[in-house]
Amino acid sequence: MTPDAPHPQPIIKGADWVLTDDHGPGAPTGIYGVECMVCEARSPLFDDDAKPVAVWTVQHTAQHPEHDLFLARAEKHWRVVRRRHEDENPPPPQRPVLAFLDRAFGPAFVGLMCLFTALTGYFISLN
C-alpha cells in the first residue's frame, strides 16, 4: 500500500473486536445453579463446582418428592477486547533453517527417546 492510498475500511465493524472467556483475577471458570421447575425454588450459585448444586437438587427432591424437574444453569464471564491487528504487531521473523530442523528432527528426537526408554526397560528385565 502506498502512503497516499486510503486505508481499507472493515467490512464488518465488529471485526475489530473479539469475544473471549474472561480468565482475569477472581473470574471463575463457571458459575453453577439450578431452579426447581415445579416451585421455582433456586439453589445458591457456586463458583467452579457443580457438585453442591447437584446435592441441593437431591435434597430438594427428598423434601418435596414431586419436585423432580430442574433447570440447570452454567454461566461464565465473557470479555470483549480489541482485536490485535497483525500489521500493528507483526510476528517475529522466523529463520527457515531452524524452522525446518525443528519440524524435521523434533518428532525424530522424541521417537528416539521413546525407543531408548523401551530398550532400557528391556535390558533391565534381562538381568
Side-chain angles (χ1 to χ4, degrees):
M1 180 184 295
T2 63
D4 297 329
H7 292 289
Q9 295 294 319
I11 295 172
I12 301 171
K13 292 186 181 188
D16 289 337
W17 299 94
V18 177
L19 179 65
T20 64
D21 288 337
D22 186 7
H23 299 291
T29 56
I31 304 166
Y32 302 94
V34 294
E35 178 181 343
C36 177
M37 297 301 290
V38 178
C39 72
E40 297 182 3
R42 291 183 178 201
S43 73
L45 297 176
F46 293 92
D47 291 351
D48 300 322
D49 190 6
K51 186 175 180 179
V53 176
V55 170
W56 185 91
T57 59
V58 172
Q59 290 174 343
H60 185 75
T61 302
Q63 293 171 358
H64 310 280
E66 67 280 2
H67 297 200
D68 61 354
L69 183 62
F70 298 90
L71 174 62
R73 290 191 172 95
E75 302 173 3
K76 11 174 38 172
H77 290 103
W78 284 353
R79 182 175 300 275
V80 176
V81 295
R82 185 170 291 282
R83 182 174 65 92
R84 189 180 77 210
H85 294 280
E86 291 76 19
D87 55 347
E88 294 172 1
N89 298 317
Q94 190 168 7
R95 297 184 176 130
V97 174
L98 291 178
F100 170 75
L101 292 174
D102 186 42
R103 283 193 316 271
F105 296 112
F109 178 76
V110 171
L112 282 174
M113 295 311 326
C114 290
L115 180 63
F116 289 143
T117 302
L119 285 174
T120 302
Y122 175 72
F123 289 135
I124 290 174
S125 69
L126 290 178
N127 289 333

